């Protein structure tokens, strides 16, 4: 094998142990300084943003070698091999070992191990970018909701997401899967404290069922920071006190509230509609 391809066959190998921890512990990336991107969709999205993977990990059942031969001409194997070759180093594992750490029901057979953009448990105020469309997540705890919000934010013109302390770990495997590659298009800040929000330098707008204004007639600054709160408790009083406006979403069907990810998509679309000249 070429020098940049390394076969590993032991379950006790340190790399395999790190992968197991990263795949199974939502916050392990903060301690290890690495993020595990599992599956060809996340790997493709990462490369599409012009980023470079240090290590590709691929199952032996998908690795076709340097010449792309064998494996019965499996088109998925060709795709996975081509993605793996774009990393600086390729590690080939038996699929039996892969099944021991994967977070998916069916092994994806490919993943990238990349350096985490976060160091330690918190970030300095300077890491919050000023004057850009932003989403602030106040203790949103469901990983699927957080990933869906990131996906909507990326699609609808938001440039930054600030996750307050108590929000689901942004780079955890479940959030990454739900985000579908949105992470790589956003400036992400997590473990933020209320005092860090001063660095936004844009008005903050909170969603609340007891707001004075309803969408789509509510006043919306441009740009602004949409604040979305805990699934059960909503936005906390300390952060609510920092908000310039509160708005509610009309619900003529009579439901008490919307899922936070659905509410986020509605609010972000309304901002985009107005930005594009909507009435």
């Amino acid at each position: 094998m070429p020098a940049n391809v390394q076969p590993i066959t032991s379950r006790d190998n340190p790399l395999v142990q790190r992968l197991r921890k990263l795949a199974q512990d939502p916050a392990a990336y903060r301690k290890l300084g690495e993020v595990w991107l599992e599956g060809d969709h996340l790997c493709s999205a990462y490369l599409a943003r012009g980023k470079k993977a240090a290590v590709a990990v691929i199952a032996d059942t998908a690795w076709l070698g340097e010449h792309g031969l064998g494996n019965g001409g499996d088109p998925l194997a060709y795709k996975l091999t081509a993605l793996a070759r774009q990393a600086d180093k390729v590690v080939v594992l038996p699929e039996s070992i892969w099944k021991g750490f994967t977070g998916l029901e069916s092994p994806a057979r490919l993943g990238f191990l990349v350096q985490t953009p976060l160091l330690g448990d918190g970030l300095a105020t300077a890491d919050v970018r000023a004057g850009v469309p932003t989403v602030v997540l106040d203790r949103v705890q469901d990983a699927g909701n957080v990933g869906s919000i990131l996906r909507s934010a990326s699609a609808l013109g938001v440039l930054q997401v600030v996750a307050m302390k108590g929000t689901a770990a942004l780079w955890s495997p479940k959030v990454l899967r739900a985000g579908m590659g949105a992470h790589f298009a956003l400036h992400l800040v997590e473990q933020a404290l209320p005092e860090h929000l001063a660095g936004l330098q844009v008005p903050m707008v909170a969603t609340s069922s007891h707001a004075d204004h309803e969408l789509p007639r509510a006043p919306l600054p441009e740009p602004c920071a949409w604040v979305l709160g805990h699934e059960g408790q909503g936005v906390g009083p300390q952060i609510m006190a920092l908000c310039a406006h509160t708005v509610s979403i009309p619900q003529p069907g009579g439901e008490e509230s919307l899922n936070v990810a659905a509410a986020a998509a509605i609010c972000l679309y309304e901002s985009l509609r107005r930005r594009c000249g909507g009435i």
Side-chain angles (χ1 to χ4, degrees), residues 213-224:
H213 301 283
E214 285 189 345
L215 288 178
R217 294 177 295 277
L220 292 181
E222 175 58 38
C224 70

Side-chain angles (χ1 to χ4, degrees), residues 18 30 40 69 84 99 105 111-112 126 153 172 188 239 245 266:
R18 293 207 315 274
R30 292 177 184 160
D40 61 286
L69 301 176
K99 290 178 179 179
E105 290 186 10
F112 285 167
S172 67
L188 300 177
I239 293 179
H245 303 280
I266 292 169

Side-chain angles (χ1 to χ4, degrees), residues 199-222:
L200 293 172
Q201 298 183 28
V202 295
M204 293 167 56
V205 182
T207 56
S208 169
S209 57
H210 307 292
D212 295 330
H213 301 283
E214 285 189 345
L215 288 178
R217 294 177 295 277
L220 292 181
E222 175 58 38

Side-chain angles (χ1 to χ4, degrees), residues 170-188:
L170 294 188
W171 294 90
S172 67
K174 288 185 178 179
V175 175
L176 278 162
R177 289 197 293 273
M180 297 288 287
H183 289 68
F184 315 130
L186 296 164
H187 178 67
L188 300 177

Side-chain angles (χ1 to χ4, degrees), residues 5 65 67 80-82 84-85 89 133 137 155 161 165 182 190 200 215 218 223 239 273 275:
V5 179
H67 302 292
L80 299 180
T81 296
R85 286 178 180 154
K89 178 181 177 181
L137 301 178
V161 174
K165 192 175 181 65
E190 66 172 355
L200 293 172
L215 288 178
I239 293 179
R273 186 183 72 84
R275 196 180 308 135

